[in-house]
Amino acid sequence: MTTNANRRVTDEQIERARSIDLVQFLQQYEPPGELKRIGQSWTLKSHDSMRISADGRWNWFSQNKGGGDAIGFLQAVHGMSFQDAVRTLAGEDFKMIPATQAECKAKPPERAAFALPPKNHGNRRVFAYLHRSRGIAAEIVNHCIKYDLLYEDAQHHNAVFVGKDENNNAWDAHRFTLPSRSNRQ
């Protein structure tokens, strides 16, 4: 008599298991609250070093394991054999979530359009801090200011470092809070 664990799986079952969306599967079968969104990816409450991308690739950093499908995930995380993982994913128990629901659940949250903070009319404080207090050459500071890679924001007088793409469009910015005059050394 052959046991369930020793039965071979068919090519059709393997193909069906490989087509299963890992995030969909986890949303349906993990306990409520176990799967949670972290930025553009997902993690598991019980394995916080786990990251799962929207396309189903996963990486379990603390265990130095990763993969690209739900079969490998069930093998690594739940200790299933290949056959058991395929049968779980291709089994009659798993009911697909309709595509429209799955797409809504898997979409990352909407982000506000990127906008740089407003510029101050001058860059005196940024220049003074970077050149005089931090010892960065005046030529370097002036170059960054000239090419809009650095400026002083109007509201808080922070230094704003601007990241640009190959077309010279700003796509990223980092604010650095300048110390008050009384705190400067």
Side-chain angles (χ1 to χ4, degrees), residues 21-23 40-42 51-59 67 106:
D21 180 90
L22 179 57
V23 173
Q40 299 291 325
S41 59
W42 300 84
R51 290 296 180 270
I52 305 164
S53 65
D55 66 0
R57 288 176 296 151
W58 58 274
N59 201 330

Side-chain angles (χ1 to χ4, degrees), residues 36-43 50-54 105-111:
K36 59 183 183 176
R37 184 175 282 287
I38 303 289
Q40 299 291 325
S41 59
W42 300 84
T43 190
M50 173 72 67
R51 290 296 180 270
I52 305 164
S53 65
K105 289 183 179 182
K107 283 184 183 175
E110 291 292 321
R111 290 186 173 188

Side-chain angles (χ1 to χ4, degrees), residues 116-120 122-131 134 136 141 144-145 149-162 173-179 184:
L116 291 169
K119 291 182 179 181
N120 195 29
N123 295 296
R124 183 180 55 79
R125 292 179 187 167
V126 169
F127 182 86
Y129 176 73
L130 293 174
H131 176 62
R134 304 304 295 166
I136 298 174
V141 175
C144 291
I145 290 171
L149 300 172
L150 170 67
Y151 67 91
E152 183 176 321
D153 87 51
Q155 187 176 9
H156 301 288
H157 302 284
N158 293 325
V160 178
F161 296 89
V162 180
H174 297 275
R175 289 185 187 182
F176 175 78
T177 303
L178 299 177
R184 291 186 193 155

Side-chain angles (χ1 to χ4, degrees), residues 94-107:
F94 181 61
K95 294 177 180 39
M96 296 289 287
I97 299 172
T100 53
Q101 284 182 335
E103 288 169 9
C104 292
K105 289 183 179 182
K107 283 184 183 175

Side-chain angles (χ1 to χ4, degrees), residues 5-24:
N6 293 331
R7 284 192 332 203
R8 295 179 51 95
V9 291
T10 66
D11 289 342
E12 182 182 294
Q13 287 174 307
I14 294 170
E15 186 178 326
R16 183 169 176 206
R18 286 200 171 123
S19 71
I20 299 298
D21 180 90
L22 179 57
V23 173
Q24 271 186 305

Side-chain angles (χ1 to χ4, degrees), residues 161-177:
F161 296 89
V162 180
K164 294 191 172 190
D165 64 16
E166 62 277 353
N167 297 321
N168 204 33
N169 297 318
W171 66 274
D172 189 28
H174 297 275
R175 289 185 187 182
F176 175 78
T177 303

